[in-house]
Amino acid sequence: MQQQKIIILDFGSQTTQLIARRLRELDTFCEIMPYNKFPSSDPDVIGVILSGSPYSVYDPEAFRVDLSQFIGRLPVLGICYGAQFISYTNGGNVESAGSREYGRQNLTFVDESCPLFNGIGTRSQVWMSHGDTITALPTGARRAASTATVENAAYWMPSFEGGSPVFGVQFHPEVFHSIQGTELLRNFVVDVCGSRQDWSAASFVETTVAELRSQLGDDRVILGLSGGVDSSVAAVLLNKAIGHRLTCIFVDHGMLRKNEFRDVMHDYECLGLNVIGVDASDKFFADLAGVSDPEQKRKIIGRDFVEVFNAEARKQMGAKWLAQGTIYPDRIESLNITGKVIKSHHNVGGLPKEMNLQLCEPLKWLFKDEVRRVGRSMGMPEHLITRHPFPGPGLAVRILGDITPEKVRILQDADDIYIRGLREYRTRLSGEEARRVLAAGVPADMKDGEIEVSLYDQIWQAGAILLSTVRSVGVMGDERTYEHPVALRAVTSTDAMTADWAHLPYDFMASVSTEIINKVKGVNRVCYDISSKPPSTIEWE
C-alpha cells in the first residue's frame, strides 16, 4: 500500500514546521520541501500546502513557484502568502493592508458549503499575521470566510479549471491561537485529500524495520550513542531490524551528568543492545586543561570525540554502515529554502572520508515528539524517552571558564540535586495546560479531574551552570566563605527554536537552593535564569 503524503512547500515562514507537526498529529505523513522543489514524479502525494512567507508577492526577491505542476491536479491549500500568491497569479488582487494585520481575529462570515470550514462557524478565533491583503478574489473563486477587518479571510474554488479544489486562508490555522485550526487542517487532509490517517508510531516501526532489513541486508552497522532520546530510539529500532549485527559505541568524555555513564550503560544492556563503553575522560581533561574560550572547548571536545570514536569503530571489522539519530528538524534547520546552510548540525555534516562507511538514518523523517512515541511503542523505559536534551560537549559548556575534574564534580553534584528535585516535585494541571501535556504523551496520573505530573516532564530542558570565573561571599555557621555561584536554568519550548523560562514554584526553588548550598562543597549561592530565547540562548556557552 502506498505511503500517502502531503507536500508542504516552504516559502520561508517561521511556522512551516508547525504545519507539519499539525498534520502528523492528524496521523498523516507530510514532507516539507523548498518552494521550488515540488516532487512532480511522486505518485504518493495526495495534496499540497503552500506556507506563509516574510515577503510580499510584489517583492522582487519574493519566492515564486510554477503552480501548474500541481494546481488542478491535486487539492491545494494556500496559507497567508500562499493564499495571496495563488490569488495574485490567477486574476486576483493583492494590496498593502496599510498597517500590518497581526493577532487574534474572529470569523464574522463562513460559507457553510466550503468543505474547509465544515464544523467551523462564525466567532471562531483565528490568528492573522500579514502586511498585504487580498482585495479581489482570483478568477472563479468564492469567498469562504471573513473577519471584521479582512473581507477575504478565506476563499475557495470547488474545482480549478475542472480539476481538484483550491483553498486559500489569510490566517494561520497551524498556530495555537487559531482555536479550530486543527479541525480546518483535518478537513483539508482527510475530507478533501482523502488521507487514510494511517501514519502512527506503530506503523512507522513496522515499516521502518522492514526497510532497514532490506537496506542493510547482512551488513554490520555501528552507531554512536549519546544517552539521548534520538540515538537511543535509533539503536532500539536498528536492534529490532538486525540484532547482533549492530554495535553501539558510547564515549564518556568525563563531562556527563553524575553517574550518567554507569546508569545509561545499564539501561542499554537491559534493552539488549550490544554496547561498547569507552571511558576517555582522562584524554579530554588533559586536552582541555587551561582552555576557557567556549568555541575552543567545543572544537577540542568535537575533535577528541571523533578520534576516540573512530579508533573504536576501526576495531569493528567488516562494518559497512554508520547509523545516526538524525531527526527531521536537524535536516530542516541545516538548509534554508534556497539550499544554503544556515545552521551546521553534527548529524548532517556527512561522514569523514577515512571511515569509508555508508550512512543510515532511521529517524530522519520524525520530529522529537514522534521519536518519543516510537520509543514508547517499542517498550523503552520512560526515563530514557523523556530525557531532556543535553549538549554534546556536556557540562563543559555549562562551566564558565576552564575545565577541571573538581569543577565538573561540583556541577555534577548541583545538577543532580536540581534534576532529581524536578523529577520528584509533582503539580496538578487542568484545562488547556493539561491538554497540552497529555497531547505530548507525557506520563500523568489522573486525580479529581486533574492530571498530576512532575515538573521535569512539564519543561523542555533544565540544567545547572557553574560560574567558576566568579566567587561570591557567604557565611556558613560562624565562618566566612568565598565560593562559586550556581545558576539554574529551565525552559519551556516545543522545538528549541524559541524558549521561555519556566515559572517554577517558589517552594521548589527554595528547597533546591538550600539543598545545593548545604550539600555541594564549593557552592554558596544559587541563582535562577529568567531569560527567554531570543534574545538569550538556552545554553550559556
Side-chain angles (χ1 to χ4, degrees):
M1 185 180 292
Q2 72 175 108
Q3 172 64 72
Q4 295 178 319
K5 68 179 70 170
I6 301 289
I7 294 297
I8 302 168
L9 294 181
D10 182 16
F11 289 84
S13 171
Q14 293 182 340
T15 60
T16 299
Q17 282 198 41
L18 271 181
I19 303 173
R21 293 176 69 88
R22 296 291 174 263
L23 267 57
R24 297 281 184 89
E25 289 168 3
L26 293 168
D27 301 324
T28 300
F29 183 66
C30 60
E31 288 184 41
I32 297 173
M33 306 289 289
Y35 70 97
N36 57 353
K37 300 293 184 183
F38 178 74
S40 301
S41 61
D42 190 338
D44 297 337
V45 180
I46 60 172
V48 183
I49 295 178
L50 279 59
S51 82
S53 174
Y55 291 110
S56 162
V57 294
Y58 295 108
D59 285 345
E61 298 179 350
F63 300 127
R64 294 177 172 83
V65 64
D66 179 6
L67 295 174
S68 66
Q69 299 174 89
F70 47 81
I71 198 167
R73 182 167 68 86
L74 294 164
V76 176
L77 169 62
I79 294 176
C80 199
Y81 175 91
Q84 293 168 0
F85 181 77
I86 294 171
S87 179
Y88 170 71
T89 54
N90 285 281
N93 194 38
V94 179
E95 298 180 13
S96 171
S99 62
R100 184 172 175 83
E101 295 173 328
Y102 181 83
R104 297 174 179 85
Q105 294 284 341
N106 291 97
L107 298 179
T108 58
F109 162 77
V110 167
D111 178 357
E112 294 182 357
S113 69
C114 177
L116 199 65
F117 287 88
N118 183 32
I120 300 174
T122 56
R123 306 310 302 163
S124 182
Q125 179 181 290
V126 297
W127 186 265
M128 295 287 188
S129 179
H130 57 92
D132 291 347
T133 192
I134 298 170
T135 55
L137 295 175
T139 305
R142 307 178 190 174
R143 183 175 301 112
S146 304
T147 69
T149 58
V150 182
E151 183 179 20
N152 298 312
Y155 64 84
W156 72 300
M157 292 178 260
S159 68
F160 184 86
E161 297 181 352
S164 297
V166 175
F167 306 87
V169 296
Q170 292 203 88
F171 53 87
H172 287 270
E174 70 273 20
V175 304
F176 172 79
H177 296 95
S178 288
I179 300 300
Q180 292 183 284
T182 298
E183 286 88 338
L184 186 149
L185 291 171
R186 183 197 178 282
N187 290 340
F188 177 70
V189 300
V190 178
D191 296 343
V192 176
C193 298
S195 168
R196 293 189 297 264
Q197 294 186 282
D198 54 5
W199 170 257
S200 66
S203 68
F204 173 83
V205 171
E206 181 181 356
T207 301
T208 304
V209 166
E211 290 175 349
L212 287 170
R213 286 172 178 163
S214 174
Q215 176 189 22
L216 303 174
D218 294 328
D219 294 346
R220 293 183 62 196
V221 180
I222 55 176
L223 168 66
L225 288 171
S226 67
V229 180
D230 302 335
S231 66
S232 299
V233 172
V236 174
L237 197 58
L238 278 158
N239 191 51
K240 284 179 71 71
I242 63 172
H244 69 277
R245 295 196 303 279
L246 171 68
T247 299
C248 302
I249 301 172
F250 183 25
V251 177
D252 180 7
H253 50 40
M255 282 147 283
L256 299 174
R257 283 178 162 152
K258 187 173 182 178
N259 299 325
E260 185 170 24
F261 184 69
R262 180 199 67 193
D263 294 345
V264 172
M265 283 294 293
H266 175 73
D267 285 334
Y268 286 152
E269 289 166 4
C270 290
L271 288 170
L273 299 178
N274 176 24
V275 185
I276 297 172
V278 183
D279 182 356
S281 53
D282 288 345
K283 173 179 174 58
F284 284 86
F285 279 123
D287 291 349
L288 285 167
V291 177
S292 59
D293 177 73
E295 190 61 24
Q296 191 65 18
K297 285 193 284 188
R298 287 180 180 272
K299 287 180 178 178
I300 291 170
I301 292 170
R303 180 201 69 200
D304 284 4
F305 181 87
V306 170
E307 288 180 6
V308 173
F309 182 85
N310 286 354
E312 194 60 44
R314 280 192 289 269
K315 299 176 185 178
Q316 307 307 310
M317 303 299 293
K320 295 183 179 180
W321 297 84
L322 174 68
Q324 293 188 153
T326 311
I327 64 174
Y328 202 28
D330 298 339
R331 302 165 65 229
I332 296 170
E333 291 170 2
S334 296
L335 291 174
N336 69 7
I337 57 179
T338 62
K340 297 178 181 177
V341 174
I342 58 173
K343 178 182 177 183
S344 178
H345 192 278
H346 66 281
N347 272 359
V348 292
L351 297 175
K353 292 181 180 179
E354 64 271 17
M355 292 192 73
N356 195 31
L357 296 172
Q358 299 178 73
L359 189 60
C360 175
E361 299 173 306
L363 305 178
K364 64 183 179 181
W365 294 114
L366 301 187
F367 289 97
K368 179 73 77 174
D369 54 334
E370 293 172 323
V371 174
R372 291 190 166 113
R373 290 192 199 109
V374 167
R376 288 190 179 97
S377 75
M378 295 189 296
M380 292 177 62
E382 196 65 32
H383 67 270
L384 266 181
I385 294 170
T386 58
R387 186 178 187 271
H388 289 175
F390 189 63
L395 300 180
V397 292
R398 292 182 178 175
I399 296 174
L400 274 59
D402 65 330
I403 308 298
T404 67
E406 175 61 12
K407 290 179 181 178
V408 171
R409 191 275 308 165
I410 292 173
L411 187 53
Q412 283 178 333
D413 288 347
D415 182 82
D416 182 61
I417 291 171
Y418 181 36
I419 298 301
R420 179 164 37 81
L422 287 169
R423 290 187 182 278
E424 293 173 355
Y425 193 102
R426 301 181 70 82
T427 61
R428 289 193 177 189
L429 302 176
S430 60
E432 184 55 40
E433 279 189 314
R435 188 199 67 79
R436 176 182 60 81
V437 168
L438 291 173
V442 173
D445 299 322
M446 297 296 299
K447 291 188 178 181
D448 303 324
E450 298 179 315
I451 65 168
E452 188 175 272
V453 63
S454 73
L455 282 178
Y456 184 89
D457 288 330
Q458 293 178 52
I459 60 181
W460 171 267
Q461 189 171 351
I465 299 94
L466 178 64
L467 282 64
S468 73
T469 57
V470 176
R471 286 189 179 272
S472 168
V473 175
V475 176
M476 291 186 179
D478 295 325
E479 296 183 1
R480 177 178 180 272
T481 63
Y482 197 53
E483 297 178 331
H484 299 297
V486 161
L488 305 181
R489 180 79 157 136
V491 297
T492 57
S493 182
T494 56
D495 52 19
M497 300 300 290
T498 60
D500 196 10
W501 60 278
H503 295 227
L504 301 179
Y506 288 164
D507 62 328
F508 166 78
M509 290 194 289
S511 173
V512 167
S513 173
T514 299
E515 188 174 356
I516 289 174
I517 292 171
N518 286 346
K519 294 183 178 180
V520 181
K521 182 176 174 57
V523 176
N524 67 355
R525 191 177 298 270
V526 174
C527 311
Y528 187 59
D529 183 347
I530 58 170
S531 309
S532 297
K533 176 188 179 182
S536 301
T537 55
I538 294 177
E539 298 294 342
W540 278 42
E541 290 192 344

